[in-house]
Amino acid sequence: MTLKSLQQKDRDHHLHPFTDHLQLSEKGTRVITKGKGVYVWDAEGHQILDAMSGLWCVNLGYGREELTQAAYKQMQELPYYNNFFQCTHPPAIELSSKLGTISPADLNHVFFTGSGSEANDTVVRMVRRYWQLLGQPEKQIILSRKNAYHGSTIAAASLGGMSGMHEGGLPIPNIHHIAQPYWFEEGGDKDPDTFGLEVAQELEHAIHHYGVENIAGFIAEPIQGAGGVIIPPESYWPAIQNIIDEHKILLIVDEVITGFGRLGQWFATDVYQIKPDLIPFAKGVTSGYLPLGGVLVNDKVTDVISKGGEFTHGFTYSGHPAACAVALENLEIIERENILEQVKNKTAPYLEKHWKRLADHPLIGEARIKGLVAAIEISNNKETRGRFSSDISAGSICRDIAISNGLVMRAVGDTMIIAPPLIISESEIDELIEKTTTTLDETNRHISSL
Ligand SMILES: *Cc1c(COP(=O)(O)O)cnc(C)c1O
């Protein structure tokens, strides 16, 4: 099949997620046909360095034979069975036990789902049920943050704080959003730590405003991903944890992106030393080879939920055997190959050294990074952290030039973001930096010529 006929069929029959179809129709879809390591190839044979790991998930890179074999073997043995009605199967047992071992100390149970969105829908039902079983059914409100991303189902999109996703009656009742710790955009002339503390105080204010007797919990990504890789100031998380402890509401830390090694430890909660009650996860748990998500639950919440009769919630594919087998192998490879240590002590510091220098580029107002997730801010004035007019679409220009240079970066407005596979080598990081620099030079020339 030729590229043209593939694109035509796609146009005729395929509705894409998060896509403007008129724009897509003009440009034609990019058809990706294979992957190996940190690279993907399109239908015309172009080799592209995938600095986004697909959608933040292909952490072990493409073409890992062991992951394919794990799925194949499990599908031959038992392709499907459910975990409803007092049944289970070895892959779900082994994976839940493994997750209990690597997760923070008191999170020892897992509820499986098929995705991150389903994990967050599960969170909403589980925390409300928790308070109901404790005799405090009025504790319904879940606080979240503006510009958060927690998925696309009705409840997950409600938890999310992207106004564009709230058309058609969202958020559902009893979900409210407070400010985000986005210093570059909203910090004004405060220093980052002062700003971080102020934004954390918004949680305290919201608890008083709605009444602690009505609040079930607070949900947040340790680092906002889809919102633009927003790394909070160091002062932020300790202040949030204090407020959580003081008011004894549940803390839900959405580790769908940060879980399984992105920051050089199993979980970002280990890195930030926060104490979540629940951790929704997905993406990197299987390196994206098969869909799987879930919620890690601490002993306190598990005790209440598991003694409270039937929790009438679950998905046909909760703990799908093939997905669990792939996840188990994925986690074992991370251990066998010391990937966490490699990220923490080698590749993340190496990338950081080079990435931070991008802030010297005339087009860049800030370069920030934590582990293997990073952002650069395109700015027309470094001093004032100014932005180009939105009809220039500097971010989209930069993204398109990156692609033509063989590099996948994502644009969130004028913020360029990356989250490369955890197996990226130092020489591949050199290539990533070189391609980014060329892309910024070309973007700068392009914008100047407008
Ligand atoms: C991607 C993402 C989700 C949603 O996961 P899906 O598998 O796409 O449903 C939830 N939370 C965060 C932080 C994400 O990045």
Side-chain angles (χ1 to χ4, degrees):
M1 266 228 221
T2 65
L3 175 60
K4 283 254 164 324
S5 69
L6 282 170
Q7 286 174 326
Q8 188 58 47
K9 259 196 187 171
D10 191 76
R11 196 176 287 134
D12 290 346
H13 301 291
H14 187 183
L15 287 172
H16 292 249
F18 283 99
T19 295
D20 175 337
H21 282 82
L22 278 180
Q23 233 177 33
L24 182 72
S25 204
E26 276 164 30
K27 277 198 190 167
T29 341
R30 193 173 326 112
V31 183
I32 302 297
T33 50
K34 68 172 190 176
K36 184 82 193 160
V38 299
Y39 298 102
V40 291
W41 281 263
D42 68 16
E44 290 167 299
H46 297 121
Q47 179 174 332
I48 307 168
L49 198 171
D50 180 11
M52 277 308 296
S53 309
L55 276 179
W56 325 83
C57 54
V58 189
N59 288 356
L60 288 185
Y62 299 90
R64 287 298 301 231
E65 184 63 23
E66 306 95 308
L67 298 180
T68 319
Q69 283 298 333
Y72 180 72
K73 282 199 198 119
Q74 183 55 47
M75 288 168 94
Q76 278 186 315
E77 187 73 24
L78 180 72
Y80 177 77
Y81 204 75
N82 62 67
N83 297 289
F84 285 38
F85 315 135
Q86 308 185 0
C87 290
T88 186
H89 47 67
I93 297 168
E94 293 301 334
L95 180 60
S96 46
S97 150
K98 182 82 197 171
L99 287 167
T101 310
I102 65 172
S103 62
D106 63 338
L107 283 81
N108 289 310
H109 285 76
V110 57
F111 190 102
F112 288 117
T113 69
S115 69
S117 299
E118 288 175 4
N120 282 321
D121 275 51
T122 301
V123 160
V124 172
R125 297 196 63 196
M126 195 181 279
V127 304
R128 288 181 176 169
R129 180 162 174 80
Y130 169 80
W131 289 113
Q132 189 172 23
L133 288 168
L134 285 178
Q136 292 173 269
E138 63 290 349
K139 274 170 105 54
Q140 292 259 323
I141 293 178
I142 301 175
L143 297 170
S144 178
R145 300 181 300 182
K146 291 173 188 142
N147 199 33
Y149 187 78
H150 296 294
S152 272
T153 50
I154 299 276
S158 296
L159 292 172
M162 295 178 174
S163 47
M165 290 178 70
H166 286 166
E167 279 169 19
L170 300 190
I172 55 171
N174 290 321
I175 292 176
H176 300 288
H177 300 87
I178 61 173
Q180 57 175 339
Y182 189 5
W183 178 79
F184 184 85
E185 189 71 34
E186 297 168 3
D189 45 22
K190 290 164 200 146
D191 70 84
D193 278 331
T194 307
F195 173 71
L197 286 176
E198 277 187 24
V199 175
Q201 274 307 307
E202 286 225 1
L203 178 58
E204 180 78 33
H205 297 153
I207 292 171
H208 286 295
H209 179 78
Y210 296 107
V212 69
E213 68 283 5
N214 299 314
I215 307 232
F218 173 63
I219 184 168
E221 302 152 87
I223 292 172
Q224 283 154 267
V229 181
I230 296 158
I231 303 169
E234 288 299 318
S235 59
Y236 181 77
W237 273 112
I240 291 285
Q241 183 71 57
N242 281 340
I243 297 167
I244 297 281
D245 291 346
E246 187 186 330
H247 295 286
K248 299 184 173 53
I249 61 173
L250 297 176
L251 175 60
I252 305 125
V253 179
D254 183 339
E255 294 240 30
V256 171
I257 287 176
T258 50
F260 312 106
R262 177 72 35 212
L263 304 189
Q265 297 202 48
W266 281 118
F267 293 93
T269 41
D270 302 323
V271 175
Y272 283 107
Q273 308 221 321
I274 40 186
K275 301 190 299 289
D277 296 287
L278 300 101
I279 298 181
F281 65 88
K283 293 189 173 125
V285 68
T286 59
S287 280
Y289 279 57
L290 282 176
L292 180 74
V295 187
L296 285 159
V297 186
N298 72 359
D299 297 338
K300 178 175 94 178
V301 175
T302 300
D303 271 359
V304 173
I305 296 290
S306 56
K307 287 179 192 142
E310 185 174 334
F311 178 35
T312 51
H313 179 77
F315 306 102
T316 303
Y317 299 128
S318 285
H320 188 284
C324 288
V326 169
L328 202 54
E329 181 62 26
N330 181 60
L331 300 177
E332 280 169 9
I333 294 174
I334 293 174
E335 281 182 333
R336 252 192 338 262
E337 301 186 357
N338 293 317
I339 307 270
L340 300 182
E341 197 186 275
Q342 179 185 316
V343 169
K344 186 171 174 213
N345 299 324
K346 216 166 147 231
T347 44
Y350 187 78
L351 176 62
E352 175 167 346
K353 188 174 77 188
H354 294 281
W355 188 261
K356 285 265 171 93
R357 285 198 198 124
L358 294 172
D360 298 334
H361 193 279
L363 201 57
I364 297 305
E366 182 184 71
R368 54 178 182 267
I369 176 166
K370 187 116 180 155
L372 285 182
V373 58
I376 39 182
E377 297 280 5
I378 298 178
S379 170
N380 66 359
N381 185 329
K382 286 172 185 278
E383 301 292 293
T384 60
R385 311 203 293 274
R387 293 294 198 186
F388 287 100
S389 136
S390 63
D391 34 270
I392 290 184
S393 293
S396 318
I397 292 171
C398 185
R399 180 202 51 217
D400 292 348
I401 291 175
I403 283 286
S404 66
N405 287 327
L407 172 67
V408 176
M409 289 174 106
R410 185 157 146 193
V412 179
D414 288 351
T415 311
M416 306 307 299
I417 60 177
I418 60 162
L422 306 185
I423 46 101
I424 194 167
S425 67
E426 293 190 352
S427 65
E428 287 158 349
I429 290 175
D430 292 342
E431 182 188 339
L432 164 62
I433 294 291
E434 191 188 300
K435 290 196 153 130
T436 305
T437 308
T438 310
T439 297
L440 291 176
D441 291 343
E442 289 175 20
T443 305
N444 203 15
R445 279 201 292 278
H446 184 104
I447 292 175
S448 308
S449 74
L450 291 176

PDB file of all heavy atoms in Angstrom, residues 56 114-118 120 149-152 221 225-226 254-257 282-283, ligand 1:
ATOM      1  N   TRP A  56       4.439   9.234  26.179  1.00  0.00           N
ATOM      2  CA  TRP A  56       5.039   9.095  27.516  1.00  0.00           C
ATOM      3  C   TRP A  56       5.043   7.642  27.998  1.00  0.00           C
ATOM      4  O   TRP A  56       4.956   7.415  29.209  1.00  0.00           O
ATOM      5  CB  TRP A  56       4.291   9.879  28.576  1.00  0.00           C
ATOM      6  CG  TRP A  56       3.665  11.187  28.270  1.00  0.00           C
ATOM      7  CD1 TRP A  56       2.446  11.388  27.696  1.00  0.00           C
ATOM      8  CD2 TRP A  56       4.178  12.494  28.556  1.00  0.00           C
ATOM      9  NE1 TRP A  56       2.172  12.730  27.609  1.00  0.00           N
ATOM     10  CE2 TRP A  56       3.215  13.442  28.137  1.00  0.00           C
ATOM     11  CE3 TRP A  56       5.341  12.951  29.153  1.00  0.00           C
ATOM     12  CZ2 TRP A  56       3.384  14.817  28.285  1.00  0.00           C
ATOM     13  CZ3 TRP A  56       5.504  14.318  29.298  1.00  0.00           C
ATOM     14  CH2 TRP A  56       4.533  15.232  28.866  1.00  0.00           C
ATOM     15  N   GLY A 114      -7.855  -0.686  32.609  1.00  0.00           N
ATOM     16  CA  GLY A 114      -7.255  -0.794  31.282  1.00  0.00           C
ATOM     17  C   GLY A 114      -6.478   0.440  30.855  1.00  0.00           C
ATOM     18  O   GLY A 114      -5.786   0.419  29.840  1.00  0.00           O
ATOM     19  N   SER A 115      -6.579   1.532  31.629  1.00  0.00           N
ATOM     20  CA  SER A 115      -5.950   2.795  31.205  1.00  0.00           C
ATOM     21  C   SER A 115      -5.822   3.739  32.389  1.00  0.00           C
ATOM     22  O   SER A 115      -6.366   3.475  33.471  1.00  0.00           O
ATOM     23  CB  SER A 115      -6.819   3.468  30.139  1.00  0.00           C
ATOM     24  OG  SER A 115      -8.021   3.924  30.744  1.00  0.00           O
ATOM     25  N   GLY A 116      -5.152   4.864  32.150  1.00  0.00           N
ATOM     26  CA  GLY A 116      -5.024   5.893  33.176  1.00  0.00           C
ATOM     27  C   GLY A 116      -6.349   6.582  33.458  1.00  0.00           C
ATOM     28  O   GLY A 116      -6.648   6.925  34.605  1.00  0.00           O
ATOM     29  N   SER A 117      -7.148   6.783  32.423  1.00  0.00           N
ATOM     30  CA  SER A 117      -8.457   7.408  32.624  1.00  0.00           C
ATOM     31  C   SER A 117      -9.332   6.538  33.523  1.00  0.00           C
ATOM     32  O   SER A 117      -9.954   7.029  34.469  1.00  0.00           O
ATOM     33  CB  SER A 117      -9.169   7.607  31.287  1.00  0.00           C
ATOM     34  OG  SER A 117      -8.426   8.441  30.438  1.00  0.00           O
ATOM     35  N   GLU A 118      -9.358   5.257  33.217  1.00  0.00           N
ATOM     36  CA  GLU A 118     -10.143   4.338  34.059  1.00  0.00           C
ATOM     37  C   GLU A 118      -9.591   4.293  35.479  1.00  0.00           C
ATOM     38  O   GLU A 118     -10.352   4.124  36.438  1.00  0.00           O
ATOM     39  CB  GLU A 118     -10.127   2.928  33.470  1.00  0.00           C
ATOM     40  CG  GLU A 118     -10.950   2.777  32.202  1.00  0.00           C
ATOM     41  CD  GLU A 118     -10.814   1.382  31.578  1.00  0.00           C
ATOM     42  OE1 GLU A 118     -10.137   0.510  32.171  1.00  0.00           O
ATOM     43  OE2 GLU A 118     -11.374   1.179  30.504  1.00  0.00           O
ATOM     44  N   ASN A 120      -8.331   6.804  37.066  1.00  0.00           N
ATOM     45  CA  ASN A 120      -8.823   7.995  37.768  1.00  0.00           C
ATOM     46  C   ASN A 120     -10.333   7.957  38.004  1.00  0.00           C
ATOM     47  O   ASN A 120     -10.823   8.491  38.997  1.00  0.00           O
ATOM     48  CB  ASN A 120      -8.371   9.252  37.036  1.00  0.00           C
ATOM     49  CG  ASN A 120      -6.916   9.560  37.341  1.00  0.00           C
ATOM     50  OD1 ASN A 120      -6.471   9.390  38.473  1.00  0.00           O
ATOM     51  ND2 ASN A 120      -6.158   9.965  36.332  1.00  0.00           N
ATOM     52  N   TYR A 149      -3.901  17.227  33.868  1.00  0.00           N
ATOM     53  CA  TYR A 149      -4.450  16.221  32.953  1.00  0.00           C
ATOM     54  C   TYR A 149      -4.571  14.894  33.687  1.00  0.00           C
ATOM     55  O   TYR A 149      -3.593  14.362  34.201  1.00  0.00           O
ATOM     56  CB  TYR A 149      -3.571  16.040  31.700  1.00  0.00           C
ATOM     57  CG  TYR A 149      -4.258  15.124  30.703  1.00  0.00           C
ATOM     58  CD1 TYR A 149      -5.285  15.609  29.892  1.00  0.00           C
ATOM     59  CD2 TYR A 149      -3.950  13.766  30.625  1.00  0.00           C
ATOM     60  CE1 TYR A 149      -5.963  14.776  29.016  1.00  0.00           C
ATOM     61  CE2 TYR A 149      -4.622  12.920  29.745  1.00  0.00           C
ATOM     62  CZ  TYR A 149      -5.625  13.442  28.943  1.00  0.00           C
ATOM     63  OH  TYR A 149      -6.307  12.612  28.081  1.00  0.00           O
ATOM     64  N   HIS A 150      -5.802  14.375  33.738  1.00  0.00           N
ATOM     65  CA  HIS A 150      -6.012  13.088  34.405  1.00  0.00           C
ATOM     66  C   HIS A 150      -6.734  12.091  33.513  1.00  0.00           C
ATOM     67  O   HIS A 150      -7.180  11.046  33.986  1.00  0.00           O
ATOM     68  CB  HIS A 150      -6.773  13.290  35.720  1.00  0.00           C
ATOM     69  CG  HIS A 150      -6.001  14.099  36.727  1.00  0.00           C
ATOM     70  ND1 HIS A 150      -4.826  13.652  37.298  1.00  0.00           N
ATOM     71  CD2 HIS A 150      -6.221  15.332  37.257  1.00  0.00           C
ATOM     72  CE1 HIS A 150      -4.356  14.568  38.137  1.00  0.00           C
ATOM     73  NE2 HIS A 150      -5.180  15.603  38.131  1.00  0.00           N
ATOM     74  N   GLY A 151      -6.888  12.397  32.218  1.00  0.00           N
ATOM     75  CA  GLY A 151      -7.520  11.456  31.302  1.00  0.00           C
ATOM     76  C   GLY A 151      -8.749  12.035  30.636  1.00  0.00           C
ATOM     77  O   GLY A 151      -9.099  13.205  30.831  1.00  0.00           O
ATOM     78  N   SER A 152      -9.423  11.222  29.840  1.00  0.00           N
ATOM     79  CA  SER A 152     -10.477  11.709  28.946  1.00  0.00           C
ATOM     80  C   SER A 152     -11.875  11.151  29.189  1.00  0.00           C
ATOM     81  O   SER A 152     -12.804  11.548  28.501  1.00  0.00           O
ATOM     82  CB  SER A 152     -10.083  11.413  27.499  1.00  0.00           C
ATOM     83  OG  SER A 152      -9.324  12.479  27.002  1.00  0.00           O
ATOM     84  N   GLU A 221      -0.762  15.598  39.704  1.00  0.00           N
ATOM     85  CA  GLU A 221       0.421  14.983  39.113  1.00  0.00           C
ATOM     86  C   GLU A 221       1.643  15.574  39.828  1.00  0.00           C
ATOM     87  O   GLU A 221       1.694  16.786  40.040  1.00  0.00           O
ATOM     88  CB  GLU A 221       0.525  15.337  37.627  1.00  0.00           C
ATOM     89  CG  GLU A 221      -0.663  14.940  36.774  1.00  0.00           C
ATOM     90  CD  GLU A 221      -0.816  15.891  35.563  1.00  0.00           C
ATOM     91  OE1 GLU A 221      -0.174  15.628  34.535  1.00  0.00           O
ATOM     92  OE2 GLU A 221      -1.564  16.880  35.650  1.00  0.00           O
ATOM     93  N   GLY A 225       2.258  16.757  33.263  1.00  0.00           N
ATOM     94  CA  GLY A 225       2.822  16.327  31.993  1.00  0.00           C
ATOM     95  C   GLY A 225       2.220  17.051  30.806  1.00  0.00           C
ATOM     96  O   GLY A 225       2.816  17.986  30.254  1.00  0.00           O
ATOM     97  N   ALA A 226       0.995  16.639  30.438  1.00  0.00           N
ATOM     98  CA  ALA A 226       0.342  17.208  29.261  1.00  0.00           C
ATOM     99  C   ALA A 226       0.151  18.726  29.374  1.00  0.00           C
ATOM    100  O   ALA A 226       0.090  19.428  28.375  1.00  0.00           O
ATOM    101  CB  ALA A 226      -1.005  16.524  29.034  1.00  0.00           C
ATOM    102  N   ASP A 254      -1.197  11.261  40.938  1.00  0.00           N
ATOM    103  CA  ASP A 254      -1.347  10.647  39.613  1.00  0.00           C
ATOM    104  C   ASP A 254       0.037  10.450  39.002  1.00  0.00           C
ATOM    105  O   ASP A 254       0.663  11.388  38.513  1.00  0.00           O
ATOM    106  CB  ASP A 254      -2.219  11.545  38.725  1.00  0.00           C
ATOM    107  CG  ASP A 254      -2.474  10.930  37.346  1.00  0.00           C
ATOM    108  OD1 ASP A 254      -1.700  10.056  36.927  1.00  0.00           O
ATOM    109  OD2 ASP A 254      -3.437  11.364  36.686  1.00  0.00           O
ATOM    110  N   GLU A 255       0.494   9.188  39.039  1.00  0.00           N
ATOM    111  CA  GLU A 255       1.836   8.866  38.534  1.00  0.00           C
ATOM    112  C   GLU A 255       1.768   8.175  37.176  1.00  0.00           C
ATOM    113  O   GLU A 255       2.630   7.362  36.840  1.00  0.00           O
ATOM    114  CB  GLU A 255       2.559   7.968  39.554  1.00  0.00           C
ATOM    115  CG  GLU A 255       2.846   8.660  40.880  1.00  0.00           C
ATOM    116  CD  GLU A 255       4.339   8.718  41.198  1.00  0.00           C
ATOM    117  OE1 GLU A 255       5.165   8.775  40.262  1.00  0.00           O
ATOM    118  OE2 GLU A 255       4.647   8.703  42.412  1.00  0.00           O
ATOM    119  N   VAL A 256       0.738   8.479  36.395  1.00  0.00           N
ATOM    120  CA  VAL A 256       0.604   7.838  35.088  1.00  0.00           C
ATOM    121  C   VAL A 256       1.837   8.108  34.218  1.00  0.00           C
ATOM    122  O   VAL A 256       2.296   7.233  33.494  1.00  0.00           O
ATOM    123  CB  VAL A 256      -0.702   8.266  34.388  1.00  0.00           C
ATOM    124  CG1 VAL A 256      -0.736   7.781  32.946  1.00  0.00           C
ATOM    125  CG2 VAL A 256      -1.915   7.699  35.140  1.00  0.00           C
ATOM    126  N   ILE A 257       2.411   9.308  34.324  1.00  0.00           N
ATOM    127  CA  ILE A 257       3.636   9.609  33.571  1.00  0.00           C
ATOM    128  C   ILE A 257       4.889   9.349  34.400  1.00  0.00           C
ATOM    129  O   ILE A 257       5.865   8.791  33.912  1.00  0.00           O
ATOM    130  CB  ILE A 257       3.628  11.081  33.094  1.00  0.00           C
ATOM    131  CG1 ILE A 257       2.614  11.239  31.946  1.00  0.00           C
ATOM    132  CG2 ILE A 257       5.018  11.536  32.659  1.00  0.00           C
ATOM    133  CD1 ILE A 257       2.436  12.666  31.459  1.00  0.00           C
ATOM    134  N   ALA A 282      -0.429   4.000  34.821  1.00  0.00           N
ATOM    135  CA  ALA A 282      -0.728   3.332  33.535  1.00  0.00           C
ATOM    136  C   ALA A 282       0.542   3.415  32.690  1.00  0.00           C
ATOM    137  O   ALA A 282       1.630   3.117  33.182  1.00  0.00           O
ATOM    138  CB  ALA A 282      -1.922   3.978  32.830  1.00  0.00           C
ATOM    139  N   LYS A 283       0.407   3.854  31.451  1.00  0.00           N
ATOM    140  CA  LYS A 283       1.526   4.133  30.526  1.00  0.00           C
ATOM    141  C   LYS A 283       2.772   3.243  30.717  1.00  0.00           C
ATOM    142  O   LYS A 283       2.815   2.135  30.213  1.00  0.00           O
ATOM    143  CB  LYS A 283       1.889   5.616  30.579  1.00  0.00           C
ATOM    144  CG  LYS A 283       0.752   6.473  30.006  1.00  0.00           C
ATOM    145  CD  LYS A 283       1.090   7.925  29.812  1.00  0.00           C
ATOM    146  CE  LYS A 283      -0.036   8.640  29.091  1.00  0.00           C
ATOM    147  NZ  LYS A 283      -0.577   9.805  29.760  1.00  0.00           N
TER     148      LYS A 283
HETATM  149  C1  LIG B   1      -2.135   9.995  29.990  1.00  0.00           C
HETATM  150  C2  LIG B   1      -2.532  10.367  31.354  1.00  0.00           C
HETATM  151  C3  LIG B   1      -3.726   9.896  31.917  1.00  0.00           C
HETATM  152  C4  LIG B   1      -4.737   9.119  31.135  1.00  0.00           C
HETATM  153  O1  LIG B   1      -4.264   7.867  30.737  1.00  0.00           O
HETATM  154  P1  LIG B   1      -4.989   7.108  29.523  1.00  0.00           P
HETATM  155  O2  LIG B   1      -4.308   5.777  29.526  1.00  0.00           O
HETATM  156  O3  LIG B   1      -4.730   7.922  28.281  1.00  0.00           O
HETATM  157  O4  LIG B   1      -6.424   7.012  29.834  1.00  0.00           O
HETATM  158  C5  LIG B   1      -3.993  10.201  33.238  1.00  0.00           C
HETATM  159  N1  LIG B   1      -3.141  10.929  33.964  1.00  0.00           N
HETATM  160  C6  LIG B   1      -1.987  11.420  33.457  1.00  0.00           C
HETATM  161  C7  LIG B   1      -1.082  12.212  34.331  1.00  0.00           C
HETATM  162  C8  LIG B   1      -1.668  11.167  32.119  1.00  0.00           C
HETATM  163  O5  LIG B   1      -0.547  11.670  31.606  1.00  0.00           O
END
